[in-house]
Amino acid sequence: MKIWSTEHIFSYPWETVIKAAMRKYPNPMNPSVVGVDVLDRNLDTNGRLHSHRLLSTEWGLPGVVRAILGTNRTMTYVKEHSIVDPDEKKMELSSTNITLTNLISVDERLVYRPHPENPEVTVLTQEAIITVKGVSLSSYLEGLMALTMSANARKGWDAIEWIIQNSERENVPLCDLC
Amino acid sequence: MNSVGEGCTDLKREYDLCFNRWFAEKFLKGDRSGDPCTELFKKYQTCVQKAIKEKDIPIEGLEFMGPSKDKADS
């Protein structure tokens, strides 16, 4: 098991970042996400919005991981649960893969909050727990996956920025991005 | 963005458009009324749930490490 974590700061207010995060896909930085479906969505009694989504991804498993795990199956499905609390200004998102689970699991958790000292800026904290199952090189593979996580995290931040710039600034109609 | 069910993509886009507008213009601005997209969501779900069954995607019965632990999937 390997735990990976990082933090990123967006130079935009929370609302702007959250709007972009909710319609993050498609974007040029994450071409591997080929489908996004909402499975369930509801407001809880505290006024928080829960969304359960299914992401269809052509997973960017590092080539060597793919070789050692011996799978050619590249389509992986990920289930994601997000909670947006508009009063507390907090968005939490957790995700886990639901296929290839006999080989590997990647559980990710993200939290978006306004910076405590500067409301014009948003802090994203993100962590992942990576577990490669049943192979003797698993800790080596988990390390490789953690490196991949770092690269992917950067793509995710760039994607949010891209969405913000392409929807907010140019006032692109929402559905051009859905 | 596409749906997992090839035939559901148009229904999904219609729903996304409705939801994104409500989310940005009402929900984030403190309007606590529910989203007006229920009918579009139902149509879209009928299509997507069928596709999920056909493709045998195991969406049920998963433990999440995150916030969903305090709430059973409905």
Side-chain angles (χ1 to χ4, degrees), chain A residues 101-118:
Chain A
T101 48
N102 55 331
L103 302 173
I104 187 167
S105 71
V106 180
D107 293 314
E108 211 182 350
R109 186 158 190 266
L110 287 79
V111 182
Y112 296 85
R113 263 189 282 235
H115 192 283
E117 281 144 34
N118 181 359

Side-chain angles (χ1 to χ4, degrees), chain A residues 6-26:
Chain A
T6 189
E7 191 179 277
H8 182 72
I9 292 183
F10 294 101
S11 306
Y12 298 92
W14 184 80
E15 284 83 358
T16 304
V17 174
I18 295 315
K19 273 190 268 177
M22 287 298 277
R23 49 189 164 92
K24 182 173 165 190
Y25 305 110

Side-chain angles (χ1 to χ4, degrees), chain A residues 114-166:
Chain A
H115 192 283
E117 281 144 34
N118 181 359
E120 294 306 305
V121 163
T122 304
V123 183
L124 164 64
T125 51
Q126 116 188 60
E127 61 178 27
I129 297 175
I130 303 151
T131 314
V132 173
K133 295 159 188 173
V135 276
S136 54
L137 286 168
S138 60
S139 67
Y140 167 70
L141 294 179
E142 285 164 357
L144 275 179
M145 285 300 292
L147 285 177
T148 306
M149 294 298 302
S150 297
N152 285 344
R154 175 157 300 281
K155 288 181 204 163
W157 307 334
D158 291 347
I160 299 267
E161 301 264 356
W162 185 86
I163 296 277
I164 290 171
Q165 281 161 21
N166 282 275

Side-chain angles (χ1 to χ4, degrees), chain A residues 26-167:
Chain A
N27 69 69
M29 291 80 193
N30 301 109
S32 61
V33 177
V34 295
V36 176
D37 284 287
V38 182
L39 301 177
D40 187 28
R41 186 166 260 157
N42 61 280
L43 285 170
D44 68 18
T45 49
N46 297 318
R48 303 183 306 170
L49 178 73
H50 293 249
S51 304
H52 294 263
R53 301 198 303 180
L54 174 70
L55 273 55
S56 311
T57 67
E58 294 276 355
W59 241 16
L61 285 178
V64 60
V65 174
R66 215 177 285 183
I68 294 171
L69 294 179
T71 177
N72 286 320
R73 185 175 175 184
T74 52
M75 182 63 90
T76 309
Y77 295 99
V78 172
K79 207 172 163 185
E80 179 195 275
H81 178 197
S82 65
I83 303 176
V84 181
D85 186 332
D87 294 329
E88 211 190 317
K89 294 199 177 190
K90 184 177 174 193
M91 176 176 180
E92 293 174 79
L93 186 150
S94 54
S95 67
T96 190
N97 58 302
I98 57 170
T99 52
L100 299 183
T101 48
N102 55 331
L103 302 173
I104 187 167
S105 71
V106 180
D107 293 314
E108 211 182 350
R109 186 158 190 266
L110 287 79
V111 182
Y112 296 85
R113 263 189 282 235
H115 192 283
E117 281 144 34
N118 181 359
E120 294 306 305
V121 163
T122 304
V123 183
L124 164 64
T125 51
Q126 116 188 60
E127 61 178 27
I129 297 175
I130 303 151
T131 314
V132 173
K133 295 159 188 173
V135 276
S136 54
L137 286 168
S138 60
S139 67
Y140 167 70
L141 294 179
E142 285 164 357
L144 275 179
M145 285 300 292
L147 285 177
T148 306
M149 294 298 302
S150 297
N152 285 344
R154 175 157 300 281
K155 288 181 204 163
W157 307 334
D158 291 347
I160 299 267
E161 301 264 356
W162 185 86
I163 296 277
I164 290 171
Q165 281 161 21
N166 282 275
S167 60

Side-chain angles (χ1 to χ4, degrees), chain A residues 19 22 25-26 33-41 43 52 77 79 81 83 86-87 94 98 107 175 178, chain B residues 1-4 12 15 17 19 23-24 27 32 44-45 48 52 57-59 62 64-65 67-68 73-74:
Chain A
K19 273 190 268 177
M22 287 298 277
Y25 305 110
V33 177
V34 295
V36 176
D37 284 287
V38 182
L39 301 177
D40 187 28
R41 186 166 260 157
L43 285 170
H52 294 263
Y77 295 99
K79 207 172 163 185
H81 178 197
I83 303 176
D87 294 329
S94 54
I98 57 170
D107 293 314
C175 208
C178 30
Chain B
M1 194 80 243
N2 291 331
S3 168
V4 67
K12 173 201 145 56
Y15 166 73
L17 177 63
F19 171 80
F23 184 77
F27 181 74
R32 291 291 168 270
Y44 161 47
Q45 281 308 294
V48 80
I52 286 168
I57 303 168
I59 58 164
L62 279 141
F64 266 82
M65 61 177 270
S68 62
D73 283 7
S74 52

